[in-house]
Amino acid sequence: WWFRTLCVALLLGAALLLYQQRVRALRKQKSWLEHQVKLRTAEVEQKNTLLLQQDKQVRRHTDQLAEANRALQDNDERLRHAKQKAEDATRQKSAFLANMSHEMRTPLAGVIGMLGFALRDRLLHASTREQILRGQANAQSLLTIINDLLDFSKIEAGKLSIENIDFSLVAAIDNVSSLFEEQAAGRSIGFAIELAPDLPQFVVGDPTRLRQVLINLIGNAFKFTQRGGVTLRVERVAAVDYPALRAQAGARSVNLVRFTVSDSGIGIDAQAMQRLFQKFEQADSTTTRRYGGTGLGLAICRQLVELMDGDISADSTHGVGSTFCFVVPLPDGVAPPMVPHIELAPHSHQLRVLCAEDFPTNQIIIRVMLEDLGHRVDIAANGVMAVAACAQTRYDLILMDGRMPDLDGASATRLIRAGGPPGAPVRDQELMIVALTANASDEDRSRYLAAGMDGFLTKPVDDMALHFHLSRAIERQLQRGFLLPLMAAKSGVPASASALDALFGVAADIAPLTPLTPLAPSDPGARGIDLRRRLRAAFAGDIAGRLSELDGALAAFDFDAAGRLLHGLKGSAAYLDEAALHGLCGELEQAADAQNIDALRSGMAPLRALLETVTENIS
């Protein structure tokens, strides 16, 4: 028994010992696990802390990126606005050039057209014909200068090309000097031309640009010279005197020709000389007020001379005078072929022509030109009337003015090409349409051609260009299978007064004007005098209607219509050589553009007085 008890006790003790060892091992394992848990917890807390920090950094970077994105968007918006402003400025510049072209070329078209009609008078005295030819040449020269000035944007853009043709150097200089002879005589200022004996007779270059530079420099000399004289000296110079031009002169048969314009005028001080050839610069801020001008002339001269591979400089003493000098390389040339005046062959067939033109004076000029060529002519005063006329009559050709009330030429052309308005389809939507406009820019030409026009005629209309387009219209209609009436032979009898009345729509009861020289109705010169008389009578008969429209436009605060009406009156005044009326209409037109109703209303009384005076002079 005691042995079994001992064995049981030993077994119990061993079991207890094992139990205690197991408990200690579990306790150690628990401590280790607790330690590991603490370590893992610390690591997790540390990682959470890092994640929080990283999250804050991410949020901070996100805010920075958002701010940068907003800045980029703002910058993009500013760039877009700047681009829009630049494009608007370009369009406004193009519109300004187009409007300026129209403003200056429209009255010039009338001047050149009327001079051309006057030259048709076979009874003109030789001296009178010479004076008219001189005036016509001067008007053409002025038109060329206007076109060159309008090319200033092309010069800036580097798109203006220099022509190289054979021409007579002395003849070009004589042409320029003839423009200033009367001005010099009228102001009692001396004007001398000094030509070196060794000048080449014929050279190769651009005579138009050369004339423009000379006209600008000589014109400036006369403008700033009150007493004394102006001298133009032309001579050949050695290449050694102009190292910068030595390369051009190095070629065989290339002449360096120096043009020197000297005057005894007001002179230029030394400080102003440094900015003399810059754009919109004049020597003194009071120069524009005293002498006029934009300050563009010398800048254009410098750029044109540089385009001709030349060099320009100036020397002046304040109060003593100025000397402008430019040198251009001009290779030896040959005599240009003489182009004799060739009478235009009569057209084989007669056309039915529609002239869409809103100014009565231009209507008369175009109508006379077309009917003298034997064609039938109808007149439409705006684009709406032109489209309506095409719905009633099949025309062979339309001469479409670009700027007209109600519907301009481009819009009218697009409407005709589309077949006409609903309910009034045009008879022939494929007929030939030629732009007839005073705007001569490439942008206007492209716009009119893009609208569906087939050609472009610039005012003043050239006889040969008009003849060419009429020939094209005849050929086109015959090819399309239309039967055109043959051209009737001209009788050679000038139109009578009653025929001119019917032609221009002048009332039959208008009192005839006494011509300067009595002519029988059958005399060849009667038509020219009757034409000028009917031109002024047509203007007088149109005044009441225009004033009524102008009053209506002012009452309705329609400044666009008021500006258009004043623009038309101004153009008519220019045709009639009514300087005071032309100036007042110009001021009122500017007031209409500025929407200054007070200035317009206050100017109506003097406008009516001037129109009344003009009407009395006509009647």
Side-chain angles (χ1 to χ4, degrees):
W1 175 86
W2 62 268
F3 180 75
R4 287 197 301 270
T5 303
L6 179 62
C7 290
V8 172
L10 289 173
L11 288 173
L12 291 173
L16 180 61
L17 181 62
L18 291 173
Y19 173 75
Q20 290 176 345
Q21 290 177 350
R22 182 61 178 171
V23 168
R24 285 194 296 271
L26 290 173
R27 286 177 177 173
K28 289 182 180 180
Q29 187 177 7
K30 178 184 178 183
S31 300
W32 181 82
L33 289 174
E34 289 177 350
H35 178 69
Q36 292 298 321
V37 169
K38 290 179 179 180
L39 291 177
R40 296 296 184 271
T41 302
E43 291 178 358
V44 170
E45 290 177 352
Q46 185 178 3
K47 289 182 180 179
N48 288 336
T49 303
L50 292 175
L51 288 174
L52 290 174
Q53 293 176 352
Q54 291 176 354
D55 184 63
K56 291 180 180 179
Q57 291 179 354
V58 168
R59 287 198 297 269
R60 186 169 60 252
H61 291 162
T62 302
D63 293 339
Q64 292 176 351
L65 288 175
E67 184 177 355
N69 187 39
R70 285 193 297 270
L72 288 175
Q73 290 178 350
D74 292 341
N75 188 42
D76 182 70
E77 187 70 16
R78 286 194 295 270
L79 290 176
R80 190 178 65 82
H81 283 302
K83 179 176 177 292
Q84 184 68 33
K85 288 182 179 179
E87 292 175 350
D88 291 342
T90 301
R91 285 192 294 268
Q92 290 172 5
K93 179 180 178 182
S94 299
F96 168 74
L97 290 176
N99 291 334
M100 184 171 66
S101 171
H102 188 274
E103 289 289 337
M104 293 185 288
R105 292 173 60 87
T106 296
L108 270 181
V111 172
I112 295 173
M114 290 297 103
L115 290 176
F117 290 143
L119 288 173
R120 299 182 183 184
D121 186 353
R122 299 178 183 178
L123 298 183
L124 278 178
H125 193 273
S127 60
T128 304
R129 181 176 296 276
E130 182 180 356
Q131 293 171 354
I132 294 176
L133 287 171
R134 177 69 63 86
Q136 192 178 51
N138 290 346
Q140 292 284 2
S141 298
L142 179 59
L143 185 63
T144 301
I145 295 171
I146 291 173
N147 291 335
D148 292 340
L149 289 174
L150 294 176
D151 283 339
F152 186 72
S153 59
K154 293 183 180 180
I155 298 177
E156 289 184 316
K159 297 181 180 179
L160 186 70
S161 59
I162 293 297
E163 191 177 25
N164 284 303
I165 61 174
D166 294 291
F167 68 97
S168 171
L169 180 60
V170 175
I173 296 171
D174 288 341
N175 182 273
V176 173
S177 64
S178 66
L179 301 177
F180 296 95
E181 290 176 352
E182 294 182 5
Q183 182 177 353
R187 297 177 54 187
S188 299
I189 297 176
F191 183 37
I193 306 293
E194 300 178 2
L195 304 179
D198 59 343
L199 285 176
Q201 184 176 3
F202 300 103
V203 294
V204 177
D206 193 329
T208 301
R209 305 301 176 186
L210 182 63
R211 287 177 65 256
Q212 181 178 346
V213 176
L214 286 174
I215 289 172
N216 207 318
L217 295 180
I218 297 175
N220 276 349
F222 274 102
K223 182 166 65 173
F224 298 116
T225 301
Q226 303 299 325
R227 63 179 63 88
V230 175
T231 302
L232 169 63
R233 184 181 302 106
V234 185
E235 58 191 339
R236 292 179 60 184
V237 295
V240 67
D241 296 332
Y242 291 88
L245 304 181
R246 191 175 299 171
Q248 287 86 350
R252 187 175 59 181
S253 301
V254 174
N255 312 282
L256 285 184
V257 181
R258 180 169 61 197
F259 301 82
T260 305
V261 179
S262 304
D263 64 70
S264 57
I266 61 175
I268 307 169
D269 58 38
Q271 294 181 351
M273 291 292 294
Q274 300 176 359
R275 48 187 172 84
L276 192 60
F277 291 100
Q278 297 178 10
K279 293 183 296 183
F280 305 107
E281 288 287 352
Q282 289 185 325
D284 190 348
S285 60
T286 62
T287 301
T288 300
R289 294 194 298 271
R290 294 180 58 190
Y291 300 98
T294 62
L296 271 178
L298 292 179
I300 293 177
C301 288
R302 177 182 62 82
Q303 291 176 324
L304 289 178
V305 170
E306 291 177 353
L307 285 173
M308 292 187 288
D309 296 325
D311 178 74
I312 188 169
S313 60
D315 184 26
S316 181
T317 302
H318 187 65
V320 176
S322 304
T323 299
F324 287 85
C325 172
F326 70 95
V327 182
V328 291
L330 297 174
D332 287 335
V334 297
M338 299 297 295
V339 181
H341 177 71
I342 301 176
E343 293 291 336
L344 297 176
H347 289 120
S348 58
H349 295 76
Q350 186 185 63
L351 295 173
R352 185 76 181 265
V353 182
L354 175 64
C355 176
E357 167 65 56
D358 59 320
F359 291 114
T361 308
N362 286 345
Q363 293 174 1
I364 293 174
I365 294 173
I366 298 300
R367 190 164 197 165
V368 169
M369 294 180 72
L370 289 170
E371 294 194 345
D372 278 353
L373 292 172
H375 300 284
R376 300 170 63 189
V377 188
D378 290 333
I379 300 294
N382 54 52
V384 174
M385 296 175 64
V387 176
C390 291
Q392 298 182 6
T393 305
R394 187 192 63 77
Y395 291 99
D396 303 302
L397 171 66
I398 300 179
L399 299 180
M400 186 77 76
D401 185 30
R403 296 181 60 185
M404 293 183 292
D406 298 332
L407 190 68
D408 61 23
S411 301
T413 299
R414 283 190 288 267
L415 187 56
I416 292 173
R417 295 300 189 214
V426 298
R427 295 289 186 92
D428 183 6
Q429 65 188 79
E430 301 297 331
L431 83 163
M432 185 171 173
I433 303 177
V434 175
L436 181 65
T437 178
N439 294 338
S441 67
D442 291 338
E443 182 180 352
D444 290 308
R445 184 186 300 268
S446 301
R447 179 163 57 89
Y448 292 136
L449 295 179
M453 297 189 186
D454 300 285
F456 195 94
L457 273 176
T458 304
K459 299 175 186 176
V461 177
D462 180 71
D463 289 336
M464 295 189 66
L466 178 62
H467 189 277
F468 169 75
H469 284 292
L470 291 169
S471 301
R472 282 183 58 203
I474 294 173
E475 181 181 358
R476 177 169 174 170
Q477 293 297 78
L478 293 177
Q479 289 177 351
R480 296 177 63 202
F482 289 101
L483 297 178
L484 300 178
L486 294 175
M487 183 66 71
K490 292 186 177 180
S491 63
V493 179
S496 64
S498 60
L500 285 173
D501 284 334
L503 178 66
F504 300 142
V506 179
D509 57 352
I510 291 180
L513 297 180
T514 303
L516 297 177
T517 304
L519 290 174
S522 60
D523 289 338
R527 180 179 176 87
I529 292 179
D530 279 338
L531 175 64
R532 291 188 292 274
R533 177 159 55 95
R534 290 308 186 272
L535 179 63
R536 299 180 68 86
F539 174 75
D542 193 45
I543 287 178
R546 294 215 177 189
L547 280 177
S548 177
E549 292 182 27
L550 184 57
D551 289 335
L554 295 181
F557 293 91
D558 189 349
F559 295 103
D560 291 336
R564 176 180 57 78
L565 291 166
L566 289 165
H567 174 84
L569 282 174
K570 183 178 69 173
S572 300
Y575 283 118
L576 300 176
D577 293 330
E578 297 290 344
L581 179 61
H582 181 272
L584 178 59
C585 290
E587 295 175 2
L588 293 179
E589 183 185 4
Q590 293 179 359
D593 293 338
Q595 298 187 358
N596 189 344
I597 189 64
D598 294 333
L600 288 170
R601 288 173 174 168
S602 62
M604 287 302 296
L607 176 62
R608 291 180 185 277
L610 276 177
L611 289 174
E612 185 177 353
T613 302
V614 172
T615 305
E616 291 175 354
N617 293 336
I618 291 175
S619 59

